[in-house]
Amino acid sequence: VQMLAIAPNKELECRDTIKKICDSFAVSTMARDVMEIATAEKDVDEFFLQPVNGASRTGYRSNWWTQFYYVLWRSWLTVLKDPMLVKVRLLQTAMVAILIGSIYFGQKLDQDGVMNINGSLFLFLTNMTFQNVFAVINVFSAELPVFLREKRSRLFRVDTYFLGKTMAEVPLFIAVPFVFTSITYPMIGLRAGTEHYFTALFIVTLVANVATSFGYFISCASSSVSMALSIGPPVIIPFLI
């Protein structure tokens, strides 16, 4: 591209260089091969993208499982390429959990304790919701133009893209609630017992994943990142209430 570009203030020199390159290609064996292929009498369908073997005739070049595999693989590589983001999110979650645990430390089951526990459980919801929603909005809104281009090109279905991307981020969506619940649950003094702890962890994990999906929904319904960040909180707060 640099060799064939016309640089400012060097138009004549660049055009001479381009002409020499084109003339050299025109008399090469590669040019003759290309012309033979282009002018040969072949079925017109050979020049169009054909579905791979075993694919359905839905207009996509590959079947559902192939699309899902490659979206999952690509999304997983994206997660692995930015380990600092994962570390920051886990550190942020741990710091917020320690802060909430310190504020509500060692509650007793009296009138004040029950009210404080209600407040702490509401903070469980707000933290898991807003943390995951805004994390998704910032990332997915930037990827949305690429996804729309690939969708128009019939490379990926919507469901394979959504499931593949979600599955690639499942380890993080499980790790964040696990870190948060493991710190705050014993510090606040919530109901003792392994069964009760895992019940709370399961609910917090569900909240985190629902919030993530809601972030995808807001991103798709918005035209830009700033628009998504503006309409996110007013839409989420009624659900929290």
Side-chain angles (χ1 to χ4, degrees):
V1 172
Q2 186 175 3
M3 288 296 296
L4 296 176
I6 298 178
N9 303 322
K10 294 182 179 180
E11 286 84 359
L12 293 176
E13 182 182 343
C14 290
R15 290 185 189 279
D16 288 340
T17 304
I18 293 171
K19 189 175 184 305
K20 290 178 183 177
I21 293 173
C22 292
D23 291 343
S24 300
F25 175 76
V27 297
S28 66
T29 55
M30 184 181 294
R32 287 197 297 270
D33 294 340
V34 171
M35 286 301 297
E36 288 177 5
I37 295 174
T39 57
E41 291 185 2
K42 291 191 175 183
D43 189 357
V44 176
D45 289 338
E46 292 186 26
F47 294 99
F48 291 93
L49 294 177
Q50 297 297 318
V52 295
N53 293 332
S56 61
R57 296 288 178 176
T58 57
Y60 294 98
R61 291 206 66 221
S62 57
N63 58 31
W64 193 95
W65 286 107
T66 304
Q67 295 177 37
F68 174 74
Y69 170 78
Y70 279 105
V71 172
L72 178 63
W73 175 68
R74 187 176 68 179
S75 301
W76 180 245
L77 287 182
T78 303
V79 174
L80 294 181
K81 284 180 181 177
D82 201 355
M84 183 56 66
L85 180 62
V86 176
K87 293 177 182 177
V88 168
R89 284 197 64 183
L90 293 176
L91 180 62
Q92 172 193 355
T93 302
M95 292 176 64
V96 173
I98 292 171
L99 178 63
I100 295 175
S102 301
I103 294 173
Y104 292 98
F105 185 79
Q107 296 298 318
K108 293 181 173 58
L109 285 179
D110 52 21
Q111 185 64 38
D112 292 336
V114 170
M115 294 178 64
N116 289 336
I117 289 173
N118 282 337
S120 67
L121 293 178
F122 184 71
L123 286 178
F124 272 52
L125 294 179
T126 55
N127 183 65
M128 284 295 102
T129 299
F130 285 108
Q131 179 180 350
N132 288 282
V133 165
F134 288 118
V136 167
I137 285 177
N138 284 312
V139 175
F140 187 68
S141 295
E143 295 180 2
L144 196 55
V146 178
F147 163 69
L148 292 176
R149 185 175 71 234
E150 293 175 340
K151 176 69 172 62
R152 285 193 294 267
S153 300
R154 312 293 286 175
L155 291 177
F156 298 117
R157 300 160 57 98
V158 177
D159 53 351
T160 55
Y161 185 87
F162 174 75
L163 290 173
K165 189 167 179 57
T166 303
M167 290 295 292
E169 296 175 346
V170 159
L172 184 60
F173 294 156
I174 294 176
V176 169
F178 174 77
V179 171
F180 183 81
T181 307
S182 298
I183 294 174
T184 52
Y185 198 93
M187 289 185 69
I188 296 173
L190 298 177
R191 190 173 182 183
T194 306
E195 178 185 352
H196 306 302
Y197 163 76
F198 280 109
T199 302
L201 177 60
F202 177 69
I203 294 172
V204 172
T205 304
L206 286 181
V207 170
N209 283 271
V210 169
T212 301
S213 298
F214 206 73
Y216 287 138
F217 170 71
I218 294 173
S219 299
C220 292
S222 306
S223 58
S224 63
V225 179
S226 56
M227 177 70 72
L229 293 173
S230 299
I231 69 174
V235 174
I236 293 169
I237 287 174
F239 291 99
L240 290 174
I241 293 174

